[in-house]
């Protein structure tokens, strides 16, 4: 999800930058108004995606990276191998 939002954000920022670098000529007022409206819509979309992206980044940062042994359920806990089996598995 994070990578998807990040790529959407980059793509739209590039389009917005392209629209800013190459503005529509003001002689044709209809085309100019349409261009301004598209640019405003794109800017609003960028803001929404940035907000969602920051929320996801905060959730990822708040997520614990490790699970302690105490938090595992009894069925999910690890069983210690018998020393002979461990040596056999290590050699394989």
């Amino acid at each position: 999800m994070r990578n998807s939002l990040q790529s959407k954000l980059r793509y739209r920022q590039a389009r917005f930058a392209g629209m800013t670098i190459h503005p529509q000529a003001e002689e044709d007022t209809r085309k100019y108004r349409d261009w301004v409206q598209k640019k405003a819509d794109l800017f609003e979309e960028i803001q929404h995606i940035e907000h969602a992206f920051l929320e996801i980044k905060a959730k990822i940062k708040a997520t614990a990276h490790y699970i302690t042994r105490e938090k595992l359920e009894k069925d999910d806990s690890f069983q210690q191998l018998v020393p002979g089996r461990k040596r056999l598995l290590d050699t394989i």
Side-chain angles (χ1 to χ4, degrees):
M1 184 73 170
R2 178 183 174 268
N3 292 338
S4 172
L5 280 176
Q6 190 172 21
S7 65
K8 284 180 184 178
L9 182 61
R10 285 183 183 162
Y11 175 73
R12 281 160 179 81
Q13 285 174 336
R15 279 185 36 208
F16 186 79
M19 290 177 83
T20 303
I21 291 173
H22 304 291
Q24 186 70 30
E26 293 183 30
E27 292 87 35
D28 188 1
T29 57
R30 183 169 182 245
K31 282 185 179 180
Y32 183 73
R33 274 189 273 126
D34 290 343
W35 176 80
V36 169
Q37 183 61 42
K38 283 181 186 179
K39 189 174 174 183
D41 292 342
L42 188 59
F43 183 71
E44 187 175 329
E45 192 175 348
I46 288 171
Q47 286 181 329
H48 288 296
I49 293 173
E50 282 177 341
H51 180 69
F53 182 67
L54 291 175
E55 283 180 355
I56 288 195
K57 277 180 65 175
K59 284 181 185 178
I60 290 172
K61 194 170 188 172
T63 304
H65 294 280
Y66 300 101
I67 299 174
T68 60
R69 192 175 187 133
E70 293 80 33
K71 290 183 181 177
L72 287 175
E73 294 180 16
K74 187 168 182 142
D75 297 336
D76 296 332
S77 64
F78 297 100
Q79 297 176 3
Q80 189 172 2
L81 293 174
V82 179
R85 283 191 178 175
K86 182 178 179 339
R87 276 188 239 122
L88 175 64
L89 289 175
D90 287 346
T91 55
I92 293 175

